[in-house]
Amino acid sequence: MIVRHKPGFLELLIATHGSVLPRILPRILALTALAALLVWLDGSLLALPHTNAAPFAVFGVALSLFLGFRNNAAYDRWWEGRRLWGQLVADMRALGREVVMFQPEGHQRRPLRLALAFIHLHRANLRRLSHYDDGHTWLEDGEDLRDAPHPPCAALDLMARDVAHHAPDGFAKKALSERIGSIALAQAGCERIAATPLPFVYTLLVFRTTYLYCLLFPFALLEGAGWMTPLFVAIIAYVFFGLAEVTEELSNPFGETVNGLPLDAMCRTIEISLLSQLGEEAPAPLKPVGYYLS
Amino acid sequence: MIVRHKPGFLELLIATHGSVLPRILPRILALTALAALLVWLDGSLLALPHTNAAPFAVFGVALSLFLGFRNNAAYDRWWEGRRLWGQLVADMRALGREVVMFQPEGHQRRPLRLALAFIHLHRANLRRLSHYDDGHTWLEDGEDLRDAPHPPCAALDLMARDVAHHAPDGFAKKALSERIGSIALAQAGCERIAATPLPFVYTLLVFRTTYLYCLLFPFALLEGAGWMTPLFVAIIAYVFFGLAEVTEELSNPFGETVNGLPLDAMCRTIEISLLSQLGEEAPAPLKPVGYYLS
Amino acid sequence: MIVRHKPGFLELLIATHGSVLPRILPRILALTALAALLVWLDGSLLALPHTNAAPFAVFGVALSLFLGFRNNAAYDRWWEGRRLWGQLVADMRALGREVVMFQPEGHQRRPLRLALAFIHLHRANLRRLSHYDDGHTWLEDGEDLRDAPHPPCAALDLMARDVAHHAPDGFAKKALSERIGSIALAQAGCERIAATPLPFVYTLLVFRTTYLYCLLFPFALLEGAGWMTPLFVAIIAYVFFGLAEVTEELSNPFGETVNGLPLDAMCRTIEISLLSQLGEEAPAPLKPVGYYLS
Amino acid sequence: MIVRHKPGFLELLIATHGSVLPRILPRILALTALAALLVWLDGSLLALPHTNAAPFAVFGVALSLFLGFRNNAAYDRWWEGRRLWGQLVADMRALGREVVMFQPEGHQRRPLRLALAFIHLHRANLRRLSHYDDGHTWLEDGEDLRDAPHPPCAALDLMARDVAHHAPDGFAKKALSERIGSIALAQAGCERIAATPLPFVYTLLVFRTTYLYCLLFPFALLEGAGWMTPLFVAIIAYVFFGLAEVTEELSNPFGETVNGLPLDAMCRTIEISLLSQLGEEAPAPLKPVGYYLS
Amino acid sequence: MIVRHKPGFLELLIATHGSVLPRILPRILALTALAALLVWLDGSLLALPHTNAAPFAVFGVALSLFLGFRNNAAYDRWWEGRRLWGQLVADMRALGREVVMFQPEGHQRRPLRLALAFIHLHRANLRRLSHYDDGHTWLEDGEDLRDAPHPPCAALDLMARDVAHHAPDGFAKKALSERIGSIALAQAGCERIAATPLPFVYTLLVFRTTYLYCLLFPFALLEGAGWMTPLFVAIIAYVFFGLAEVTEELSNPFGETVNGLPLDAMCRTIEISLLSQLGEEAPAPLKPVGYYLS
């Protein structure tokens, strides 16, 4: 995630961090060159058919409808991902307090360390990190959950068994099983977003329509815009492909992309809360490196 | 569901999996041919009335309003269906842990197997699979719920009775009845989506308006676009009918269509979680076949 | 509710069930005739003022804004009504299981029959059915709630008293009072929708603006569309009045209209669930009659 | 709130109840007169600059964007206000049942009368009624909460203390404290809406932009619309100012305006429920007076 | 936050409080001057290329799509921030009542004073106030939470330990741990909004597109608007940059800006509720100073 509030005018102009421009530049240049070729052809070799702008108005409304919908859906996925991790942060802190309130002393450390193992395994699962062992710092010697059918679930299973075994009464069991259920709900929400992409059919419709639009628009501009045609094609390609790329990136909020969510930093936040709770020394929060928070 | 992240340029161009193009091609070709006929008639036999584009601008805004609304509503149904199944996954895992935490040993296996029977019967109910017996693997010998007035409900009824019978105290009953209530809520949510289509009146309005638009638009294009008229009609028919088809498909998220939700794969996910919980061997997750996850 | 998935081309063309066309036809014909009169006047007797389309573009955007908003609000009411009844179905099933889990045998029948009385009285209340006694099949002989200040509430009051009287412990009371509270919340939600129409001021704005639009639009079309003017006026009146009628109907989701919710069928679903729970014979689900489910 | 389903054609034409027309008429007339003056000037004294409609298309889209957003936000506030009062109705009825289920006889009357005092004090607080004593009918002789720092909170505080004092066990305390918490949440929601207007900056942007639009639009119409210019200006001013006024009114849902929520009627509904619960005689529901329900 | 209902016509015209005009005036003036320069150049020195308005229609729709989306997202953040603080107000009041209901006398004061410390530390944390000690009025002598890894969490940790230590039974622990969990959830929600800006990529897209639009639009206006061109450029720059600034400000709802949320006033509201609960004298509510409530 890029952390950079209110950049100035010049910075806005030249910022490439977090911009999608580098990735769509080839497409923009190709379409612009094609438009320039058409203008040159039309003026020198052969008269191309000119059309008026009416079909493009309708076409443009439809395209904006697709892109706007897709942008909203992608942003909602991104923000829901963030919301679910916020829920996890709150649940983890609440778990810390409830373990202290309900479990007997001497049995408070193990469930919280399992919670830390869970959160790291959950992150690794969402990001599909295969060779990953941050979560295992928090397990007991020799324990290894990486071969479990579902590692984060295995950590929660262990926690539930540990809590059930040492709970002094029904209130403790009830309180902690509700909290584990709430964690499992946020976890399943994250997995839902990670496993279910936006329907592929929208990607097809959006990209096909955008290309058609940019390829045909010059014919409507030839008459009214002349040699400014390539400029307008460039701008419109920038706007449409830019938005399409942004939505592609935001719709996968757990990716390690420049607009992805800072899962590492949030895991650190949870470590700070739970280790303080246990009276152990808490690490420092993660800081952005070159405006980028991983 | 099509699982295919970030296809390249060429793949976008030719992908037919998940595309609605094959289904709407006949309509597009018919309208394009008609438009070509009109252009030819206008240029040779008799002068057709030409209209300006003003009424089509208004018409287009209204049509995009209908289609945009319908698309949002359909996608919301699809995503809510997915959300409810995510809730079911979380509830099932939580049920597994709560049975272990609250029920005495020896009485943990039966409720979880009933949960597996429930989830398969629920899937069969949503997809209207009549000759279906996956759910019965998990019942006891001779048990058969297929003739119950509502098979998934019957499985939950059995679970509630079993839990009530073996629960050691009020906390166990309370915790497990809350969980069963949460499962029943997600189940009723799925049945709501499956049983209540989008109001039929929207289908009528959208299809009638789209046909009218595509039939009349050539009269506005004749003058400004000439022989490019059929091309524009083809594109606009592709965009409007394409979106209409997509919304038709997404609004039935539990269908076995190419954009339907992967209920089989999610049932498998739940099997993995609950069988691990019982210490039995878990099957492997389902994999997409030719990009398609059933 | 019309239940009719994916009608074919011809059916779409001629379907009148669920269509609003019959109701708005007089208005469309009147406006079309007026437009034809204007075209005739303009061409023969006196030159009418012609205006260009610019003001209508703005006007059209504003009108689509009104109609789009109103359509969204109406559909949200309709869908929320359905969601609340789905909640009631889930709550009723959960109530059935909780009564079995928590209440002693011999005291399980009465609360569930009161629940059936409640749901029928609730439906009668929402639909303002005055001479209504389906709910009383489920009461004891001689009991009559029709004169209570609020009949469905009276049924729930009786249930709460019955449950409190026979509950064996605090857990039973707590579980069942939570369930009754959840039912009361869904009930109040339905009453909210039934008692609070969309703000009347929107109806005024939408109808006045739509009439103005359809009356003035011919002046902008006279020049560009000629004798096609009445056709366009007819289409635009169909689109705008059609949407206005649909929103009127959907915004009252509990009405006995063709797009209203199938409350009878949902009450039957609940009967099936609760009677199965009590071991009594369950009736068959309601079926649509001529595509219409009441 | 205006209660008036489906008015006929003529009523729509002349209804002034609930209409914002009277309030915006002066502004519309002033702008129309100005437009007429410009047309006259342009035709007789001096040629005014004519502009084409292009900038107004963009301007109109932006303006509709502002107005549409503001309308959605205002309606959401109105509907959320209604939803919160629906929640209060449900909570009050549930409180009535839970007091009967959990509190010993002889201690059921006081908390319900405090609930009635609360709801009236809450209404007075939202509507800023200073000399208000309906709530005090329900208190004991001599009690007066009007000088408390926050009167509705004081009523709930008294209720919590009374309940805690007479609760027979932990289940009763738990159930009733959850209910009071739920009431307090709906109360805080209402206070949020009443105390936090829509950001003032939107009011500035919307009104300034609407005036600019209506003042400059005649210059674009002079050429295309001639003497119909004032008519179009009048219509557009009606549409834009009308919507702006509606949003102003709906964004304050607890005001005693014609589109405000019927708080008096809802307080009466709650009285009916709680008094029936206590076995006292319930008053009749409030009826609309001249279509207006207060 | 600006508190100012329904300002009159003149006030609307000249209000600068809460307006973003002062901040965007330099940009508007620069672009207007440039447009004037272009008109002068075009008329005297050299003929500039004129383009028609077609590309700007599409461009304008795309721009309005970006701005509209960003405005909705920003307002949602602002309103969610307010909603979360409303939740905190309700939770604090409920906590006050629950402490009185469940905790023994003599142990009711400490948790509520820790709650007041929490709310002030939470506010300081959201607003990044470094030298801040309002929260410490409420702690015991010598206690200092400012060096804790996360001060507001530390206050809640202390509260949880205090409550657990003095709770008379499991019901008290359960009720209060649920309330603390609810507070922690609202707290984590606020931190989510404060720590996660809107994706930076939108800021880039919006500002770059707005500048391009305002720089190129004069070429389309030269022909149709002549010397009114600079006026239209000024208005369009006002509208687009105005909205962009508003969204920038609202998307950071906890900032001490003119449209930020009145956190000081809400902390005061909470103080009033909790001190009344403890029987201590409550301070007066905060009043706006020059329409501004901090």
Side-chain angles (χ1 to χ4, degrees), chain A residues 209-268:
Chain A
T209 317
T210 308
Y211 271 110
L212 277 174
Y213 193 94
C214 292
L215 286 171
L216 291 173
F217 201 30
F219 293 96
L221 288 176
L222 282 176
E223 201 156 303
W227 275 100
M228 288 181 87
T229 298
L231 177 63
F232 284 122
V233 168
I235 291 174
I236 281 165
Y238 167 65
V239 167
F240 284 168
F241 282 112
L243 195 54
E245 277 302 317
V246 168
T247 60
E248 193 69 36
E249 200 165 308
L250 288 184
S251 74
N252 296 306
F254 305 124
E256 288 176 291
T257 60
V258 107
N259 289 301
L261 292 173
L263 301 194
D264 294 349
M266 288 190 280
C267 282
R268 180 62 60 88

Side-chain angles (χ1 to χ4, degrees), chain B residues 134-217:
Chain B
D134 278 25
H136 288 79
T137 324
W138 309 104
L139 294 176
E140 300 199 340
D141 287 351
E143 261 183 335
D144 193 338
L145 299 176
R146 273 170 295 185
D147 291 336
H150 194 298
C153 278
L156 286 184
D157 288 350
L158 282 180
M159 195 199 299
R161 277 169 206 270
D162 183 83
V163 159
H165 201 248
H166 298 106
D169 58 12
F171 287 105
K173 271 195 202 174
K174 189 73 187 2
L176 289 163
S177 74
E178 283 174 10
R179 186 60 59 199
I180 297 174
S182 169
I183 291 170
L185 187 57
Q187 172 205 4
C190 294
E191 291 175 4
R192 163 169 50 89
I193 292 175
T196 315
L198 279 176
F200 183 63
V201 69
Y202 287 118
T203 305
L204 284 180
L205 269 176
V206 162
F207 275 93
R208 286 178 178 171
T209 315
T210 308
Y211 272 111
L212 277 174
Y213 193 94
C214 292
L215 286 171
L216 290 173
F217 200 31

Side-chain angles (χ1 to χ4, degrees), chain C residues 58 65 157 161 196 202 208, chain D residues 12 15 71 82 97 213 277:
Chain C
V58 179
L65 193 140
D157 289 350
R161 276 169 208 269
T196 314
Y202 286 117
R208 286 177 178 173
Chain D
L12 275 174
N71 182 46
R82 183 58 187 83
R97 292 187 194 112
Y213 194 92
Q277 194 62 264

